[in-house]
Amino acid sequence: MAIIQFPKDFLWGAATASYQVEGAANEDGRKPSIWDTFSRTPGKIKNGDHGDVACDSYHRYEEDIEIMADLGINVYRFSVAWPRVIPDGVGEVNERGLDFYRRFIDKLLDAGIEPILTLYHWDLPQALHDQGGWANRATVDAFVKYAEVLFKEFDGKVKYWLTINEPWCVSFLSNFIGEHAPGNRDLNLALQISHHLLLAHGKTVQRFREIGISGKIGYAPNVEWKEPFSNRKEDIEASRREVGFLLDWFFDPVFKGQYPKFLVDWFNEKGGTFEIKEGDMEIINERIDFLGINFYTGSYSRYKKGHGFFDSENVDIGFAKTDINWNIFPDGFYKVLLEIKNKYGDIPIVITENGACYNNEPEFGRVKDTGRIKYFQSHLASLRRAMDSGVNIKGYCVWSLLDNFEWAHGYSMRFGIVHVDFRTLDRTKKDSFYWYKQLIRNGWYEY
């Protein structure tokens, strides 16, 4: 057994997203997002689930903040619903929607919890999507104006801002693979959207600086690690393509002002093209203050001609898996964090999502989610290894505070450290909640 210890000023938190927890989809002036529409499309969401009620956090936020205070976190990462604040994406601000976030943020601060506010966690106003969505460059400017409303409203109250959550999911998963809203399968569309998302990020950071907002701003890409199955050149290159699809494609423009040539060439070979206008890359390259990282899983990869988009296949070497069938690969967490440091320098990092799906149900009022605790233990040990190796990690947020609407899986997959009964909406703190609470209080755990 060893003691895994963290600095006294480490940021401990939990995370959620607006569409996954808020509910109140048709209240106080909110209009539909693309996820409201996608959820109503037959066959897209398991069991026909949707986010109309979700965890009902719009009405139960005070109870949820009491849960957070009991947990002892000092930061809470959440997202604002764009269609709640500006229902049509552009135009009038919906004061009733904005007032919810005023109350919510004030209550967080009263509890001694710093907000980490994500501006965009996938709920694009449907009205904007009807005009082309993220493929339309006008959406970039609409996003900046929406961000400016929140910057001015919460300057001094919010110290940590994130622009875009998981741009890979918004672009490629949603518009090339087609698994998430709006469900397209078009490489060129996905490439253009990926560029517009990064441009929206860069312009928003520029506006943050121009207005003179206090605090720190960054973004939150998702990453995975693909370990080469062997040291053969073709296996190494296949793994590099797989990792780069999530990492280099969304990091190089922000940190280096250019797209990675090896992927540009690969996309071109597949017929993939997109438009970059003069000055775009300089905007995307705007300096950020910190980097959010979302990590869950990884695998081993080897070259296989014609297999998948990257001539690469995953090799299962006997990984344990979570209930969503994702590999548990804590060493991949360590390796991808070192990769980020080695490629992009000592940017301060906050782990904005890390967690595991286990579908344990309450038994006599207790949820024994031992698997989730073991997941946290192994991944936090890898996080500590990365810190000891020089990675500048400032904080860690579990995904998720609550069981919630898990996108295409509906309510069938549970990531929370607090169980939610989706019929009664009752909350039950899981064993992982109490384990995490003790870690936060002590600053260490035995592993």
Side-chain angles (χ1 to χ4, degrees):
M1 302 293 282
I3 300 295
I4 308 296
Q5 191 160 11
F6 292 87
K8 289 186 177 180
D9 62 350
F10 200 68
L11 299 175
W12 293 109
T16 62
S18 50
Y19 190 73
Q20 293 181 270
V21 300
E22 282 182 3
N26 303 303
E27 292 186 38
D28 291 339
R30 181 190 181 275
K31 288 187 178 180
S33 75
I34 56 172
W35 272 95
D36 295 278
T37 303
F38 193 67
S39 298
R40 294 289 194 294
T41 305
K44 296 298 185 182
I45 308 297
K46 188 168 184 177
N47 300 321
D49 292 339
H50 51 72
D52 282 9
V53 177
C55 303
D56 197 33
S57 291
Y58 188 80
H59 299 114
R60 298 169 184 255
Y61 70 92
E62 290 181 295
E63 176 187 356
D64 291 342
I65 292 172
E66 287 176 5
I67 290 170
M68 296 179 216
D70 180 37
L71 180 59
I73 56 176
N74 47 29
V75 293
Y76 177 60
R77 186 205 169 199
F78 66 98
S79 72
V80 169
W82 189 350
R84 200 179 291 286
V85 173
I86 304 179
D88 292 317
V90 294
E92 278 191 44
V93 173
N94 175 29
E95 285 296 327
R96 289 176 295 171
L98 191 56
D99 190 55
F100 165 71
Y101 295 107
R102 292 185 184 112
R103 298 192 307 270
F104 179 75
I105 288 170
D106 284 347
K107 187 67 72 171
L108 276 178
L109 293 171
D110 288 345
I113 301 168
E114 292 285 354
I116 301 178
L117 191 157
T118 305
L119 292 164
Y120 186 74
H121 200 132
W122 307 356
D123 41 3
L124 180 72
Q126 182 64 38
L128 283 185
H129 179 72
D130 293 342
Q131 299 170 37
W134 284 112
N136 182 352
R137 199 173 170 102
T139 299
V140 173
D141 295 325
F143 180 74
V144 176
K145 290 177 181 177
Y146 152 68
E148 185 174 338
V149 169
L150 296 177
F151 288 157
K152 291 179 177 178
E153 180 65 40
F154 297 117
D155 185 21
K157 290 188 174 182
V158 174
K159 295 179 182 177
Y160 303 97
W161 301 83
L162 293 164
T163 55
I164 310 284
N165 178 75
E166 298 185 350
W168 179 86
C169 292
V170 182
S171 53
F172 292 106
L173 184 63
S174 302
N175 291 282
F176 176 47
I177 299 169
E179 185 176 319
H180 281 183
N184 298 311
R185 299 194 177 192
D186 184 322
L187 176 59
N188 288 348
L189 178 65
L191 286 167
Q192 192 64 63
I193 286 173
S194 74
H195 180 67
H196 285 166
L197 289 165
L198 290 171
L199 185 63
H201 158 78
K203 282 194 169 187
T204 301
V205 175
Q206 283 188 342
R207 194 71 188 116
F208 182 87
R209 308 274 184 230
E210 289 165 359
I211 300 171
I213 301 300
S214 58
K216 302 178 187 299
I217 192 166
Y219 72 133
N222 56 306
V223 296
E224 294 183 12
W225 184 251
K226 304 289 186 173
E227 183 72 11
F229 185 70
S230 77
N231 64 359
R232 295 188 307 162
K233 181 173 181 283
E234 54 264 44
D235 284 356
I236 292 169
E237 289 178 350
S239 296
R240 185 187 182 208
R241 291 191 292 271
E242 292 274 16
V243 171
F245 190 33
L246 282 82
L247 200 154
D248 301 53
W249 190 258
F250 293 98
F251 284 63
D252 277 19
V254 172
F255 291 99
K256 298 180 178 180
Q258 61 189 19
Y259 285 99
K261 186 177 184 303
F262 75 100
L263 283 177
V264 171
D265 291 345
W266 189 268
F267 288 133
N268 286 342
E269 286 178 18
K270 302 289 186 180
T273 61
F274 63 104
E275 181 185 32
I276 302 173
K277 291 191 176 182
E278 185 177 353
D280 282 2
M281 300 314 295
E282 290 81 4
I283 293 169
I284 295 170
N285 190 215
E286 185 74 24
R287 177 186 63 84
I288 61 173
D289 301 306
F290 75 106
L291 174 65
I293 290 294
N294 298 351
F295 178 90
Y296 292 93
T297 188
S299 187
Y300 282 73
S301 291
R302 69 181 172 195
Y303 174 77
K304 186 175 182 180
K305 180 67 176 176
H307 188 87
F309 186 76
F310 290 112
D311 290 352
S312 173
E313 69 170 350
N314 290 337
V315 181
D316 191 335
I317 60 166
F319 286 107
K321 300 179 188 298
T322 62
D323 287 352
I324 203 170
N325 204 37
W326 294 354
N327 295 335
I328 300 173
F329 193 17
D331 196 48
F333 193 26
Y334 168 74
K335 289 187 175 183
V336 80
L337 290 169
L338 258 63
E339 181 83 352
I340 291 166
K341 173 186 165 53
N342 291 337
K343 284 186 175 178
Y344 307 107
D346 289 326
I347 180 76
I349 292 173
V350 175
I351 306 304
T352 38
E353 293 183 24
N354 179 240
C357 173
Y358 288 98
N359 294 324
N360 310 87
E361 292 290 341
E363 297 179 18
F364 305 105
R366 179 181 175 185
V367 181
K368 300 178 182 179
D369 58 337
T370 305
R372 183 173 287 106
I373 294 171
K374 290 180 178 177
Y375 181 97
F376 287 149
Q377 289 173 329
S378 63
H379 283 73
L380 283 163
S382 288
L383 189 70
R384 182 70 254 189
R385 284 180 65 204
M387 294 170 71
D388 289 347
S389 301
V391 183
N392 188 12
I393 298 167
K394 299 298 187 183
Y396 175 89
C397 295
V398 300
W399 184 272
S400 172
L401 179 72
L402 304 170
D403 292 335
N404 55 52
F405 176 82
E406 186 47 44
W407 306 115
H409 298 280
Y411 296 101
S412 68
M413 296 293 164
R414 296 178 176 271
F415 279 83
I417 58 173
V418 176
H419 180 277
V420 177
D421 183 321
F422 293 111
R423 292 166 299 179
T424 66
L425 299 172
D426 289 342
R427 276 83 158 132
T428 303
K429 297 165 186 174
K430 303 180 185 181
D431 283 5
S432 59
F433 176 99
Y434 294 105
W435 180 87
Y436 191 42
K437 177 179 179 177
Q438 184 176 29
L439 165 60
I440 294 169
R441 184 175 63 245
N442 295 340
W444 60 270
Y445 68 98
E446 197 171 47
Y447 182 54

